[in-house]
Amino acid sequence: MSRTPEPSLSSGVPPQDEERRLRELGYRPVLARRMGGFGNFAISFSVISILSGCMTLYGFGMGAGGPAVMLWGWAGVGLFVLCVGLALAEVTSAYPTSGALYYMADRLGGRRWGWYTGWLNLLGLLGAIAGIDYGAALFAGAFANLQWGFEPTPGKTMLIFVAILLLHAVLNLFGVRLVSVLNSVSVWWHLIGVALIVGALWIVPDHHQSSSFVFTEFVNDTGWHNPVYVAAIGLLLAQYTFCGYDASAHLSEETSNASVSAAKGIVRSIWVSWIAGFVLLMGLTFAIQDYDATRNSATGVPPAQILIDGLGTDGASALLIVVIVAQLFCGNAEVAAASRMVFAFSRDKALPGSVLWRKVSARTQTPVAAVWLSVTVAGVLALPSLYSATAYGAVTAINVIGITPAYAIPVFLRLRAGSRFQPGPWSLGRWSRPIGWTAVVWVAGVTVLFCLPQSSPVTVDTMNYASVALAVVLFLATVWWFVARRSYGTPTTAAYSDREQAELAEGIV
């Protein structure tokens, strides 16, 4: 029976027995299914976090195309990302597992497809933790600078970053119920926070930029002379922000009625973020008082300077707290998603030391070791920020270059499979192919785009290391393939023994 996207969201499909469905997919349930549909949407919305992505890369956008590219780029990128999300949601409905993208690729394309998709997804998730939490550290440093004259040097920022990583590790060790509650609070914190920021910047300042400036002003400080190239590079702000909605899929083994709820969570998180993010970017840009002074703010964070100039130090400090807390919510949700990916990949014996990383606490039913591995690797990825001012941009690019291709691979394989693909309860029906091919073409384009250099001349400091990171991960994944290929596999290709399944269920392994 053909289904269209919208009716399938409220079609009254009876909830599946998700534990039985998980067993059909080859896994014995070991994680606690304590998250509802709103909580599943909330984790992806929290990871996308417009108050993290938009705010931390706003300064980058000011030089890579300026207001026109930030606003129209957000609108355009959001539309294409929604297509990616719709297509991915359909495949998620059919395969609701913690492994998510790599499991889908494995089932639809075979072991090698699953292997490389998993490594790309893992690179993106770990890079996202680094980018989100380091961004929160930057904003925390800006807040301390306002309040106490704190000088946010790279070394001090790194210490704040490490403290944030530790906080997120500890919060995730308490179990998925706390994670779900925090993410539900995060949704309202983000939406109310955007309303407060935009409302204050609209009401309080005496001066606002013109509509012509906000929607047509083009600024190029990249060193490149081709405006089309500069505008394309400027799309990184939006594309980086619109990452992480696969969190709904990674938490599907802990979500009630996951075959529908996880699919809905992906799509809703994107369109809600799309609308709220446009409002936020528009409000910030209208409130700029001095463009050059904002870009070169002593706080190191241009949005903080917009708040200072428009609202004064006290008002700016209050709203910076709103932003920082939102970023903390975002980082915490990303650690949850990444740790489930580590757990699932290790469950299928893909990582070095898998026997350790797949352990689940018998008390909290949380993959404790996977949580610690996730924050540790994220900390290592951010270390270059101690030595290079452009390293943070490189970390965000690593996130995009890793996770974005991983979104499209299951969609491409689903399209290739044709009628062999058996949809889940949530399906796009006749829209599946046009939306799917739009998603695949878009991802192919932005993957190439974000491997290109962002500044000219290209030096050691200005080099875009995303392509290097991508090459290194693919090389290491290839080398490890020849070591682990006999043991790696989803249950259809490397089924667990009864003893292993029992040990996993008891939290022994």
Side-chain angles (χ1 to χ4, degrees):
M1 181 177 66
S2 177
R3 299 187 185 100
T4 55
E6 198 57 36
S8 67
L9 296 179
S10 56
S11 58
V13 175
Q16 290 196 113
D17 182 341
E18 296 295 346
E19 305 291 40
R20 186 179 70 179
R21 177 57 181 154
L22 188 58
R23 288 186 173 91
E24 290 172 355
L25 295 174
Y27 295 115
R28 185 169 179 173
V30 296
L31 300 175
R33 201 174 289 276
R34 298 170 179 165
M35 182 177 284
F38 184 81
N40 187 276
F41 148 73
I43 192 166
S44 283
F45 181 77
S46 297
V47 172
I48 292 175
S49 184
I50 53 178
L51 287 175
S52 178
C54 292
M55 301 292 270
T56 53
L57 280 182
Y58 191 87
F60 171 84
M62 292 182 77
V69 173
M70 285 194 285
L71 269 296
W72 295 115
W74 181 270
V77 169
L79 179 61
F80 284 110
V81 170
L82 184 59
C83 290
V84 179
L86 285 164
L88 184 61
E90 181 178 52
V91 189
T92 297
S93 180
Y95 302 110
T97 71
S98 294
L101 310 182
Y102 88 84
Y103 181 88
M104 303 170 197
D106 186 290
R107 282 299 175 91
L108 293 169
R111 294 172 73 229
R112 283 188 184 246
W113 281 104
W115 178 267
Y116 284 102
T117 301
W119 281 100
L120 287 171
N121 192 194
L122 188 60
L123 170 68
L125 288 167
L126 296 175
I129 297 173
I132 293 162
D133 281 1
Y134 195 83
L138 289 171
F139 270 77
F143 174 79
N145 175 267
L146 278 180
Q147 292 296 103
W148 307 293
F150 172 85
E151 183 182 356
T153 64
K156 293 176 181 177
T157 302
M158 182 60 64
L159 289 176
I160 298 171
F161 168 65
V162 171
I164 292 172
L165 286 177
L166 291 174
L167 170 66
H168 287 154
V170 171
L171 288 174
N172 270 271
L173 297 182
F174 283 99
V176 73
R177 190 181 297 277
L178 176 61
V179 172
S180 182
V181 169
L182 291 174
N183 289 330
S184 297
V185 173
S186 172
V187 171
W188 300 111
W189 187 276
H190 274 80
L191 295 177
I192 294 171
V194 168
L196 286 173
I197 291 169
V198 173
L201 289 176
W202 182 257
I203 294 170
V204 177
D206 295 327
H207 169 74
H208 291 90
Q209 299 290 341
S210 65
S211 296
S212 174
F213 174 86
V214 171
F215 293 106
T216 65
E217 183 71 14
F218 183 85
V219 178
N220 177 16
D221 194 32
T222 64
W224 298 108
H225 301 297
N226 187 323
V228 175
Y229 183 85
V230 174
I233 293 299
L235 298 179
L236 177 60
L237 183 155
Q239 187 65 55
Y240 165 69
T241 305
F242 281 116
C243 280
Y245 44 88
D246 58 315
S248 289
H250 288 296
L251 272 292
S252 58
E253 289 184 32
E254 296 160 87
T255 301
S256 301
N257 194 25
S259 298
V260 174
S261 296
K264 285 184 177 181
I266 291 171
V267 176
R268 287 176 176 171
S269 66
I270 294 171
W271 70 257
V272 174
S273 298
W274 187 20
I275 296 171
F278 189 85
V279 172
L280 175 63
L281 288 172
M282 188 169 59
L284 287 169
T285 309
F286 267 112
I288 293 174
Q289 303 298 305
D290 184 320
Y291 201 88
D292 291 333
T294 298
R295 287 197 59 210
N296 300 305
S297 171
T299 66
V301 181
Q305 193 62 50
I306 294 174
L307 296 176
I308 293 168
D309 292 343
L311 309 174
T313 302
D314 292 340
S317 297
L319 291 182
L320 275 178
I321 293 175
V322 173
V323 173
I324 292 167
V325 172
Q327 292 171 338
L328 294 177
F329 279 130
C330 173
N332 190 65
E334 185 65 27
V335 170
S339 63
R340 271 50 175 191
M341 172 61 195
V342 171
F343 158 76
F345 217 26
S346 299
R347 180 173 59 182
D348 290 329
K349 306 173 187 177
L351 297 181
S354 287
V355 70
L356 173 62
W357 314 125
R358 72 190 193 194
K359 286 185 177 180
V360 176
S361 167
R363 182 175 62 85
T364 64
Q365 294 179 274
T366 298
V368 174
V371 169
W372 285 114
L373 179 65
S374 299
V375 297
T376 299
V377 174
V380 172
L381 286 176
L383 283 178
S385 298
L386 284 169
Y387 311 104
S388 170
T390 60
Y392 179 69
V395 170
T396 60
I398 287 170
N399 166 222
V400 172
I401 204 65
I403 210 165
T404 305
Y407 289 157
I409 292 172
V411 175
F412 168 74
L413 294 173
R414 176 263 176 274
L415 293 167
R416 193 181 71 168
S419 60
R420 290 188 295 108
F421 172 74
Q422 297 298 315
W426 195 99
S427 172
L428 295 174
R430 67 178 181 271
W431 294 99
S432 182
R433 294 190 70 81
I435 290 176
W437 281 117
T438 300
V440 170
V441 171
W442 169 255
V443 169
V446 296
T447 299
V448 173
L449 176 65
F450 293 136
C451 284
L452 301 177
Q454 299 165 6
S455 301
S456 179
V458 179
T459 66
V460 172
D461 287 335
T462 62
M463 170 70 178
N464 181 358
Y465 290 97
S467 56
V468 177
L470 179 62
V472 168
V473 168
L474 291 177
F475 173 76
L476 293 177
T478 301
V479 171
W480 188 247
W481 167 259
F482 290 102
V483 176
R485 61 181 173 173
R486 287 184 176 83
S487 60
Y488 161 73
T490 61
T492 53
T493 55
Y496 295 112
S497 68
D498 291 341
R499 178 182 174 185
E500 286 178 311
Q501 287 279 20
E503 288 175 338
L504 278 167
E506 295 170 6
I508 296 173
V509 174

